[in-house]
Amino acid sequence: MSEYNGRDDESHSTVRNVVLVVLDTARAKSVDAQLMPTLTDLAAAGTPFENAFATAPWTLPSHASIFTGTYPSEHGTHGGHTYLDGDLRTLPEAFADAGFETIGVSNNTWITEEFGFDRGFDDLRKGWQYIQSDADMGAVVRGENLREKFAATRNRLFDGNPLVNAANVLYSEFVQPSSDDGADRASNWIADWLGSRDGDRPFFLFCNFIEPHVEYDPPREYAERFLPDGASYEDATAIRQDPRAYDCEEYDLSDHEFAMLRGLYRAELAYVDHQLGRLRTTLEDAGEWEDTLFVVCGDHGEHVGEHGFFGHQYNLYDTVLNVPLVFCGGPFTDGERRHDLVQLLDLPATLLETAGVDDPALREQWSSRSLHSGSSDDARDAIYAEYVAPQPSIDRLEERFGDIPERVRTFDRRLRAIRTAEYKYVCGDDGFERLHHVRTDPLEHTDSSDDDAQRAQTLRRRLEERFDPLEAASESEDEGADVEIRAGTKDRLAELGYL
């Protein structure tokens, strides 16, 4: 059970409420004051972390790390097993057992009860549903093409009330504003909830804004601020945005088209920054801002043409791992930029310590380290990341595209990375490895693993000391792949080709 200590001394101040906002697919390299003035103001009033890293390059395993304080190979949630197992303690459970009201608003269809993320929430709302329902048509939203969307609709329509399901499909696919993927409705709902709630209990609020995720379709007024000179909104939004088809060379994108896509992506970040401003105003109007720790992070980054990739799969470059992270409130109020290496899985230890909550069960399982200025936890001298299984799988790519390029076949591997302040080393269970001196090669263009083989070996040894050797880990995953998942989840994953 969690305990709410309610400490409030000068050296270890606590807060009453905790708000965690995830900007889905937000990469650190694209964040600046012109783009995101609200986040910049929060950083000036709080504490920004310049070297914050995800544990994985995509939503499901990254959120699992945020919720449990564990690495992907520890929580086991990845492309080969897409369910957060019930024996893992979660951050919302810790807050709930400490007496907090726990509210979640998810605009990403992976973060739902179907994949094990509802535990501990009093209410976890689905932003793509016009009518909140236990029968979730999120498989339609996740479908990567019309065939998958149609199959998901056909197979799930009668799971529960077909009229409600049909209304939710129509809303998510045709009625929901094309320039908003749920952020506006989420902000409105949170404002209504805060305005009507009983204020006696502290609260933990989690919110995922998915706008920066493909497809980039920001409001026109935002897009026109960030598109390259001479590029029209119509031309930019007409560009095909299908990362897996791009990977498989079904179509190509020119440098100018990628420049327009980067403009749309930046516009999406600017739009969610506006929603951050609305959330802050809502908390101020409700009289809760001064008593709240407000945390904003990306769950992973994005490639928009960098390293030959589009999207956030199949690699562990910093482009998909380095994310924005800002704390504001409680002890995080000096505006000092911190440059130490931190991980998103450090959030549980930090949030609980700042809220004065101790949860022995969560603490026992985690690899989390508190970033609280009064914490006794050691600073990290390295961060780690993992890509446990390709997502989508190579089999699924072949099912969709037929013969796929040899380059794409090489993505059928498990990857791990270790990054210190000076070096970044990535290796795969197929013998792949890269070494970068990040101080002189921050964009990771030059592989020096052959020229500095001893350093590569030293960093690989550190990875094997922290985790099982890659080959052994892969064999273990194969042996344990047949994990029991709830029936509804199995059906949905099968529809989308994951099982």
Side-chain angles (χ1 to χ4, degrees):
M1 290 290 290
S2 304
E3 295 181 359
Y4 179 54
N5 299 323
R7 294 172 300 185
D8 192 18
D9 57 77
E10 183 177 348
S11 63
H12 220 108
S13 60
T14 62
V15 294
R16 172 178 166 81
N17 312 307
V18 175
V19 175
L20 172 59
V21 182
V22 174
L23 308 182
D24 205 295
T25 320
R27 62 187 193 182
K29 67 173 291 184
S30 290
V31 173
D32 58 45
Q34 176 197 17
L35 184 70
M36 305 187 77
T38 299
L39 189 60
T40 300
D41 289 346
L42 291 170
T47 302
F49 290 82
E50 300 296 313
N51 290 306
F53 291 85
T55 62
W58 67 288
T59 292
L60 189 75
S62 181
H63 275 75
S65 291
I66 292 171
F67 276 43
T68 66
T70 60
Y71 289 100
S73 59
E74 295 171 337
H75 59 61
T77 311
H78 50 73
H81 173 52
T82 52
Y83 189 78
L84 182 62
D85 287 332
D87 58 352
L88 288 164
R89 181 73 165 170
T90 68
L91 182 63
E93 286 178 309
F95 277 116
D97 285 351
F100 284 64
E101 185 177 3
T102 52
I103 300 296
V105 182
S106 173
N107 288 293
N108 189 308
T109 60
W110 286 109
I111 311 305
T112 68
E113 70 277 7
E114 287 291 322
F115 300 102
F117 286 90
D118 61 321
R119 296 198 306 278
F121 282 113
D122 296 325
D123 187 8
L124 178 60
R125 294 184 62 86
K126 308 174 187 74
W128 56 94
Q129 286 192 345
Y130 182 71
I131 303 171
Q132 292 295 302
S133 170
D134 290 338
D136 182 12
M137 301 301 289
V140 181
V141 182
R142 286 192 302 277
E144 293 191 355
N145 52 53
L146 287 176
R147 180 182 62 81
E148 288 186 347
K149 289 178 180 292
F150 176 76
T153 302
R154 180 193 62 211
N155 293 332
R156 303 294 289 184
L157 186 62
F158 294 96
D159 181 10
N161 187 323
L163 293 178
V164 170
N165 292 340
N168 283 331
V169 169
L170 289 172
Y171 175 77
S172 64
E173 296 300 310
F174 302 107
V175 178
Q176 181 170 283
S178 61
S179 59
D180 182 276
D181 293 315
D184 185 65
R185 286 186 77 221
S187 297
N188 289 339
W189 185 86
I190 291 170
D192 291 342
W193 165 71
L194 277 173
S196 61
R197 70 182 292 271
D198 181 349
D200 290 343
R201 294 171 63 194
F203 61 81
F204 168 68
L205 171 64
F206 163 80
C207 181
N208 173 291
F209 287 142
I210 200 174
E211 272 71 11
H213 197 289
V214 165
E215 293 183 355
Y216 319 135
D217 55 350
R220 176 188 286 266
E221 62 269 27
Y222 285 86
E224 290 177 343
R225 288 167 49 196
F226 298 103
L227 289 175
D229 291 342
S232 71
Y233 175 78
E234 287 75 17
D235 287 343
T237 54
I239 298 172
R240 184 180 180 186
Q241 297 185 42
D242 189 339
R244 303 292 77 81
Y246 175 80
D247 289 339
C248 292
E249 300 178 2
E250 186 171 279
Y251 76 109
D252 196 14
L253 291 167
S254 67
D255 290 344
H256 181 59
E257 287 172 320
F258 268 128
M260 287 191 284
L261 288 176
R262 282 191 286 273
L264 293 179
Y265 173 74
R266 285 172 56 81
E268 292 280 34
L269 289 171
Y271 178 65
V272 294
D273 185 77
H274 167 68
Q275 300 296 339
L276 283 179
R278 290 185 61 199
L279 286 184
R280 175 172 183 167
T281 299
T282 292
L283 288 162
E284 290 172 339
D285 291 346
E288 299 286 2
W289 178 255
E290 297 299 325
D291 297 321
T292 296
L293 174 65
F294 194 82
V295 182
V296 183
C297 68
D299 62 335
H300 56 77
E302 181 82 320
H303 283 116
V304 195
E306 297 85 0
H307 299 289
F309 287 100
F310 182 21
H312 44 267
Q313 296 291 346
Y314 308 131
N315 64 87
L316 291 175
Y317 287 106
D318 277 6
T319 324
V320 292
L321 295 179
N322 188 202
V323 294
L325 175 62
V326 173
F327 287 74
C328 188
F332 300 96
T333 56
D334 56 12
E336 179 182 355
R337 293 183 175 273
R338 286 180 54 174
H339 298 278
D340 45 323
L341 293 168
V342 302
Q343 303 231 235
L344 292 183
L345 60 72
D346 293 328
L347 285 168
T350 310
L351 301 187
L352 292 184
E353 183 168 9
T354 308
V357 174
D358 182 36
D359 191 273
L362 186 54
R363 177 161 33 86
E364 183 178 353
Q365 82 183 18
W366 73 30
S367 297
S368 193
R369 300 187 187 184
S370 176
L371 308 178
H372 191 294
S373 58
S375 173
S376 60
D377 289 351
D378 294 333
R380 296 186 181 278
D381 64 350
I383 62 94
Y384 301 92
E386 299 182 279
Y387 190 66
V388 176
Q391 166 59 34
S393 68
I394 302 305
D395 288 344
R396 186 178 170 211
L397 292 177
E398 289 181 323
E399 180 181 337
R400 179 181 172 191
F401 299 106
D403 191 24
I404 60 176
E406 192 61 33
R407 169 180 178 264
V408 176
R409 293 186 184 280
T410 66
F411 299 158
D412 191 9
R413 60 191 173 202
R414 182 183 187 124
L415 296 173
R416 283 184 180 151
I418 178 174
R419 191 190 193 283
T420 67
E422 194 168 3
Y423 288 94
K424 166 89 171 283
Y425 175 74
V426 184
C427 61
D429 61 359
D430 61 347
F432 169 86
E433 66 174 355
R434 289 182 70 89
L435 176 68
H436 301 279
H437 184 228
V438 292
R439 291 195 188 277
T440 59
D441 182 28
L443 300 181
E444 300 172 88
H445 287 155
T446 304
D447 174 20
S448 57
S449 58
D450 289 337
D451 297 335
D452 199 351
Q454 184 173 358
R455 192 177 306 278
Q457 184 180 21
T458 298
L459 292 173
R460 184 183 181 98
R461 189 177 300 117
R462 285 194 64 179
L463 276 172
E464 293 180 347
E465 290 171 353
R466 178 61 187 79
F467 307 100
D468 291 332
L470 269 170
E471 293 76 10
S474 297
E475 292 172 4
S476 175
E477 287 293 335
D478 291 340
E479 293 171 1
D482 197 13
V483 179
E484 184 61 31
I485 305 173
R486 67 179 69 173
T489 301
K490 282 185 175 180
D491 291 344
R492 176 165 305 162
L493 299 177
E495 289 160 8
L496 294 179
Y498 298 139
L499 295 178

